[in-house]
Amino acid sequence: MRMIVTGGAGFIGSALARIGIAQGHDVLVVDKLTYAGHRSSLRDVENSPRFSFQQADICDDDAMSSALRAFEPDAVFHLAAESHVDRSITGAGAFIETNIVGTFRLLQAVRGYWDKLPADKRDAFRFLHVSTDEVYGSLGPEGLFREDTPYNPRSPYSASKAASDHLASV
């Protein structure tokens, strides 16, 4: 499999990239390298012939379309996001731009790529959008969130992730 991992220099994205390479997949990590993404988290795989890296912003239509055309992935794992609730309270604009607008632009680029695939590759192609449990609000000392738990975001971060979930689901 050929997979793109957006946000792949972050904590979870880099783990996914390392696992993908260990399982024999070709991985292109796309990351803007902000406060949450670090090339050092990919040190274990950076010399693998199965690993590629592109520093880019998911809000950049041309960069995303170009990466898709050049790499020809079978799957896109979308983990890129502004995170950290406290940062969203003091600087919500970046969360709206990356988590909502960036997800929309990435989806548009992926749709353009997918539309041009042959039918068999189109049927096999996958886009996986990664969210957060914070879209459901506060849990309290007991209980569990489930897939049918109503959305109840309580910060600009969780609201922007809830919006991106809804974009990815249509």
Side-chain angles (χ1 to χ4, degrees), residues 79-125:
L79 288 85
E82 295 289 334
S83 58
H84 305 299
V85 171
D86 292 348
R87 293 184 81 250
S88 77
I89 294 167
T90 59
F95 289 75
I96 302 307
E97 184 66 24
T98 299
N99 298 354
I100 301 173
V101 176
T103 296
F104 172 74
R105 290 187 174 155
L106 178 62
L107 286 165
Q108 292 293 101
V110 169
R111 179 62 185 261
Y113 168 76
W114 181 85
D115 280 343
K116 293 177 181 161
L117 290 174
D120 60 324
K121 288 195 174 253
R122 213 177 309 131
D123 291 343
F125 183 85

Side-chain angles (χ1 to χ4, degrees), residues 21-33:
I21 289 169
Q23 292 181 349
H25 304 296
D26 294 325
V27 177
L28 169 62
V29 165
V30 175
D31 201 294
K32 189 176 175 182
L33 295 180

